[in-house]
């Protein structure tokens, strides 16, 4: 399937260690001709960490996609009424955002984008990255696995010895997962 002209939203949340992979995939998507709009959660758009400065990530996203990132709830809200996207990806998706989405909370630009997009009955893809996937957040992941129009990038344990509850998506499968979700299908196997 060609991604040329597909309108793809990438909502970044605060799993900063995953950003290198995010930018690799952003580049691949734009190289394939997708029109990519990034959205930053408040944490993603403001926290400087050992992985880099928020301001630099915002700038890099704009350079790769040639679109100004959405950084506020009012900027993300039109995704619903103006039907701005064909698919939205929460990438990376923190435990915090998983828990809020599963419980209908909409208090960041990334969650506003998800709510606005889902109201249009279009696919939402989730690329998880969280230390509590097999702990406190397992129930929320379970709720989302069973929710209409929600799909997952396949995921697995990344460090069972040192972080027994941690799970992370296989981000190199983002594009095939996205293509499947655009056809209303979950890419399989989902756990690997
Ligand atoms: C350096 C750093 C790395 C983090 N990595 C992760 C992570 O990989 N996964 C996660 O779920 N939370 C991680 N967090 C915590 C989130 O950033 C925090 O829960 C934040 O409230 C998430 O908000 P958001 O989901 O709205 O982006 C990290 C925080 C910091 C400061």
């Amino acid at each position: 399937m060609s991604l040329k002209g597909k309108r793809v939203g990438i909502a970044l949340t605060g799993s900063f260690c995953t950003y290198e992979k995010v930018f690799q995939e952003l580049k691949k998507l734009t190289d394939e001709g997708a029109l990519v709009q990034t959205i930053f959660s408040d944490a993603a758009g403001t926290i400087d960490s050992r992985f880099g400065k928020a301001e630099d990530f915002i700038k890099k996203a704009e350079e790769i996609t040639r679109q100004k990132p959405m950084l506020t709830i009012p900027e993300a809200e039109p995704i619903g009424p103006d039907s701005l996207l064909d698919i939205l990806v929460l990438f990376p998706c923190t435990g915090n955002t998983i828990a809020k989405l599963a419980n209908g909370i909409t208090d960041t630009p990334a969650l506003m984008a998800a709510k606005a997009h889902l109201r249009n009955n279009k696919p939402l893809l989730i690329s998880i990255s969280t230390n509590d996937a097999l702990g406190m957040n397992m129930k929320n992941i379970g709720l989302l696995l069973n929710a209409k129009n929600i799909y997952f990038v396949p995921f697995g344990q990344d460090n069972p010895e040192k972080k027994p509850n941690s799970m992370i998506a296989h981000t190199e499968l983002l594009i095939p997962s996205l293509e499947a979700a655009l056809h209303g299908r979950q890419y399989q196997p989902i756990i690997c």
Side-chain angles (χ1 to χ4, degrees):
M1 177 191 196
S2 167
L3 291 180
K4 197 167 169 48
K6 290 280 178 220
R7 300 167 306 160
V8 178
I10 301 285
L12 292 90
T13 69
S15 172
F16 304 101
C17 57
T18 322
Y19 281 14
E20 208 177 309
K21 292 177 179 173
V22 173
F23 288 108
Q24 281 169 11
E25 296 303 315
L26 277 186
K27 180 86 178 51
K28 281 192 214 164
L29 285 167
T30 52
D31 286 350
E32 291 220 7
L35 306 171
V36 181
Q37 171 67 61
T38 56
I39 302 112
F40 281 64
S41 72
D42 296 320
T46 58
I47 293 178
D48 297 332
S49 74
R50 64 185 180 281
F51 299 103
K53 283 184 155 181
E55 191 188 331
D56 294 339
F57 290 132
I58 293 167
K59 211 181 287 171
K60 195 165 173 182
E62 183 168 351
E63 277 165 16
I64 297 174
T65 64
R66 300 179 184 198
Q67 283 292 330
K68 268 209 176 313
M70 293 175 172
L71 302 175
T72 65
I73 288 178
E75 281 170 6
E77 187 272 341
I79 287 172
D82 296 344
S83 196
L84 295 181
L85 302 173
D86 297 310
I87 186 164
L88 173 66
V89 194
L90 290 167
F91 176 33
C93 189
T94 59
N96 180 62
T97 291
I98 290 166
K100 288 182 178 178
L101 181 65
N103 289 283
I105 297 169
T106 314
D107 63 355
T108 72
L111 287 159
M112 181 73 240
K115 176 179 174 163
H117 181 69
L118 281 171
R119 90 171 210 188
N120 293 333
N121 231 357
K122 293 201 225 169
L124 173 69
L125 179 65
I126 299 180
S127 180
I128 68 165
S129 176
T130 179
N131 286 335
D132 65 358
L134 285 170
M136 198 60 96
N137 250 313
M138 190 78 253
K139 61 180 184 299
N140 295 316
I141 292 170
L143 278 171
L144 296 174
L145 277 169
N146 204 29
K148 193 173 155 196
N149 292 323
I150 295 187
Y151 304 89
F152 282 75
V153 177
F155 55 95
Q157 284 181 277
D158 52 317
N159 190 346
E161 297 283 309
K162 290 205 175 127
K163 301 192 289 177
N165 287 341
S166 180
M167 292 185 97
I168 186 157
H170 298 288
T171 57
E172 71 282 4
L173 296 176
L174 180 86
I175 289 182
S177 305
L178 189 142
E179 289 170 341
L182 278 167
H183 283 112
R185 287 197 314 268
Q186 171 61 52
Y187 187 82
Q188 296 288 354
I190 189 165
I191 305 291
C192 54

